[in-house]
Amino acid sequence: MSAARRCRQDTLAWRLQLIGSSCKLFFPKDPVKIVRAKGQYMYDENGRQYLDCINNVAHVGHCHPDVVNAANEQNQLLNTNSRYLHDNIVDYARRLSKTLPEKLCTFYFLNSGSEANDLALRLARQHTKHTDVIVLDHAYHGHLTSLIDISPYKFRNLEGQKDWVHVAPIPDTYRGIYREDHKDLVTAYANEVKEIIEQAHKKGRKIAAFFVESLPSVAGQIIPPAGYFQKVAEHVHKAGGVFVADEIQVGFGRVGKHFWAFQLQGEDLVPDIITMGKPIGNGHPVACVATTKEIAESFAATGVEYFNTFGGNPVSCAIGLAVLDVIEKEHLQAHAMQVGNFLMELLNQQKVKHPIIGNVRGAGLFIGVDLIKDQDKRTPATEEAEYLITRLKKEYILLSTDGPGRNVLKFKPPMCFSVQDAKLVVDAMDKILTDMEKEAACETVGDLKS
């Protein structure tokens, strides 16, 4: 039987037999088989249409014709490694440089966000001649061994924290150690990093880098208070380290107001290194590191060549250029701000209506909805969040959860996600939450009678 005609259960059986069990599926008890996609929609083997609310990889929309055509046309001409002169790699670097602060003018191209963060770690260590790294709690920076080591989200379930890794409290103003009623959140959270640096120095350790997702995602769609990065960068630079902004989840206009999420912190913040991945190629495996000439020269001073077989190849760069063209031509950055604001407004209306919604936070089309069991303790409503996304799947809406308590609904849809899509999702959420409240009320009455 051809793969196109294979039934879902047969595909699942083959996957269970052949693919590593640690490679998880969405909705593992009842996985969806997706055979094609277009824009913000995905289709199963029976032609049923699902609204995709989480696929930030298909940044400008699944199978965008301009991106597909760019790949096809370049594939018919040439695809080879970057040791040969080719216009695409320099044209792409030039286009990216126009979106970044002037200081960030040197580029390395790679295949994945994990490769980009691994290179950023190497650049930081070579430039500073230091080893230690500061990261935020619950951070995730990639699946390579070097990145598992700086990802508390992963290493706490594996070999634990290395002595050269230092974990700072995440600047979560809703459920973090300092909350919305604190008089100076920025200074309070930045001073935690300062204290870590001071304690490290007392032990004779030196800081190479502060590594941070510009908007922490796995941690629960967190929006750090504006100005926090600047104060942290000041402490890190004073210690001889560099500031690395991981834009792999949130770059390329997703936050709406700016092209890069780190820019939400203010114009005076210029990271020393930026990493890019996921949306950069709209599903094609391409990634990038941008840094300063000074750091790049420190890296080159080793005399050891940096070579990546596929990084910066003509096809990848043609795709990257096409993605930038589509973002510009279709005004997707402005669209993300408009639709994101509308979705946030709808979700905040639901927050008033449904006590389970404790917090709605976001920027552009990066939004988190924090579900809680009670208003005072803000206990994560983990089971309820799982039930909600399972019910949404039955309505052909794909959403997922994140955060340490797996209770934060995460919205990171393709950038073509519309106001109509936003209304559809929120209306469905409203109905399901209303049903959940009625069921809970009935159970309470039953308990009282018994």
Side-chain angles (χ1 to χ4, degrees):
M1 181 183 291
S2 71
R5 294 170 51 212
R6 185 179 295 133
C7 73
R8 184 175 70 101
Q9 287 304 320
D10 283 349
T11 303
L12 179 59
W14 279 113
R15 180 176 174 114
L16 292 174
Q17 180 178 332
L18 297 169
I19 307 301
S21 60
S22 58
C23 301
K24 302 295 185 182
L25 289 163
F26 284 131
F27 313 106
K29 293 179 182 178
D30 185 28
V32 184
K33 181 176 180 179
I34 298 297
V35 298
R36 66 184 180 92
K38 184 177 182 181
Q40 64 270 52
Y41 304 108
M42 304 178 83
Y43 300 86
D44 69 12
E45 75 279 16
N46 296 310
R48 290 175 295 210
Q49 176 180 285
Y50 291 80
L51 177 61
D52 184 358
C53 301
I54 52 177
N55 204 321
N56 62 325
V57 177
H59 190 61
V60 300
H62 291 279
C63 302
H64 194 289
D66 290 7
V67 180
V68 172
N69 289 340
N72 184 44
E73 289 175 7
Q74 185 56 54
N75 257 319
Q76 293 182 70
L77 290 173
L78 170 72
N79 198 25
T80 187
N81 65 54
S82 53
R83 288 181 187 270
Y84 298 99
L85 276 176
H86 198 277
D87 286 331
N88 285 5
I89 190 170
V90 292
D91 288 346
Y92 190 30
R94 287 176 65 196
R95 285 284 296 280
L96 284 173
S97 70
K98 291 176 182 178
T99 70
L100 291 164
E102 186 177 354
K103 171 181 164 183
L104 297 166
C105 59
T106 304
F107 299 85
Y108 301 85
F109 292 102
L110 317 93
N111 308 303
S112 70
S114 289
E115 281 192 4
N117 278 339
D118 180 73
L119 177 58
L121 184 57
R122 290 177 61 192
L123 288 167
R125 285 174 164 168
Q126 179 59 33
H127 179 68
T128 63
K129 299 296 191 287
H130 300 167
T131 300
D132 288 26
V133 176
I134 303 173
V135 293
L136 295 182
D137 204 2
H138 310 302
Y140 175 61
H141 293 290
H143 64 80
L144 301 182
T145 300
S146 62
L147 305 175
I148 296 295
D149 287 345
I150 63 169
S151 297
Y153 169 68
K154 291 289 186 181
F155 70 58
R156 289 211 169 103
N157 295 314
L158 294 169
E159 297 176 358
Q161 185 173 340
K162 300 289 192 294
D163 58 2
W164 52 269
V165 176
H166 311 274
V167 180
I170 191 160
D172 178 353
T173 61
Y174 179 66
R175 59 171 68 253
I177 60 172
Y178 307 111
R179 299 186 175 183
E180 65 271 16
D181 56 351
H182 193 279
K183 63 181 180 179
D184 190 353
L185 288 162
V186 167
T187 301
Y189 275 114
N191 280 346
E192 293 290 328
V193 177
K194 182 181 179 183
E195 175 67 18
I196 285 171
I197 293 171
E198 290 172 352
Q199 291 302 315
H201 285 175
K202 287 179 182 178
K203 297 175 183 177
R205 310 199 68 90
K206 295 183 177 180
I207 305 301
F210 176 78
F211 236 97
V212 65
E213 299 162 90
S214 297
L215 295 177
S217 178
V218 168
Q221 307 290 90
I222 305 300
I223 312 295
Y228 167 70
F229 285 176
Q230 287 91 325
K231 282 190 176 291
V232 169
E234 183 180 336
H235 298 319
V236 171
H237 287 151
K238 187 176 179 181
V242 298
F243 189 102
V244 182
D246 177 340
E247 290 273 336
I248 289 163
Q249 294 265 21
V250 292
F252 294 89
R254 174 162 296 278
V255 299
K257 188 176 180 181
H258 299 285
F259 198 80
W260 302 106
F262 75 82
Q263 293 169 323
L264 291 168
Q265 292 281 312
E267 293 182 2
D268 56 333
L269 174 71
V270 180
D272 301 293
I273 302 171
I274 292 177
T275 58
M276 313 168 203
K278 292 188 187 294
I280 189 173
N282 211 56
H284 181 81
V286 58
C288 181
V289 174
T291 190
T292 66
K293 284 286 186 189
E294 183 184 12
I295 291 174
E297 286 169 4
S298 294
F299 192 57
T302 63
V304 177
E305 173 191 23
Y306 177 77
F307 174 62
N308 187 306
T309 303
F310 302 111
N313 71 73
V315 171
S316 292
C317 291
I319 289 170
L321 284 162
V323 170
L324 294 178
D325 287 341
V326 174
I327 293 171
E328 188 175 314
K329 181 176 69 174
E330 298 183 5
H331 309 289
L332 291 181
Q333 184 179 327
H335 180 78
M337 184 162 65
Q338 176 195 357
V339 178
N341 287 344
F342 179 73
L343 179 54
M344 288 272 288
E345 182 181 338
L346 293 181
L347 290 168
N348 276 307
Q349 290 171 8
Q350 294 301 307
K351 179 175 178 289
V352 174
K353 186 176 180 180
H354 300 290
I356 194 173
I357 299 178
N359 186 245
V360 176
R361 50 186 178 260
L365 286 173
F366 177 90
I367 295 171
V369 181
D370 199 316
L371 301 186
I372 56 173
K373 290 182 181 292
D374 58 83
Q375 293 286 338
D376 294 329
K377 295 181 180 178
R378 302 180 180 181
T379 308
T382 305
E383 296 81 7
E384 293 85 348
E386 180 65 24
Y387 177 79
L388 178 57
I389 64 168
T390 302
R391 282 278 303 271
L392 284 170
K393 192 196 76 165
K394 294 179 180 178
E395 301 293 329
Y396 305 107
I397 295 168
L398 301 178
L399 193 63
S400 64
T401 61
D402 236 326
R406 303 298 301 181
N407 66 303
V408 180
L409 308 177
K410 61 176 182 180
F411 288 87
K412 292 185 290 186
M415 296 276 276
C416 49
F417 195 82
S418 69
V419 293
Q420 292 80 13
D421 298 326
K423 191 170 189 313
L424 175 70
V425 177
V426 176
D427 284 348
M429 285 178 57
D430 182 23
K431 183 178 183 303
I432 295 166
L433 290 175
T434 299
D435 289 346
M436 289 168 64
E437 289 161 0
K438 288 178 181 177
E439 291 167 10
C442 289
E443 289 175 4
T444 301
V445 171
D447 290 342
L448 290 172
K449 288 182 177 179
S450 63

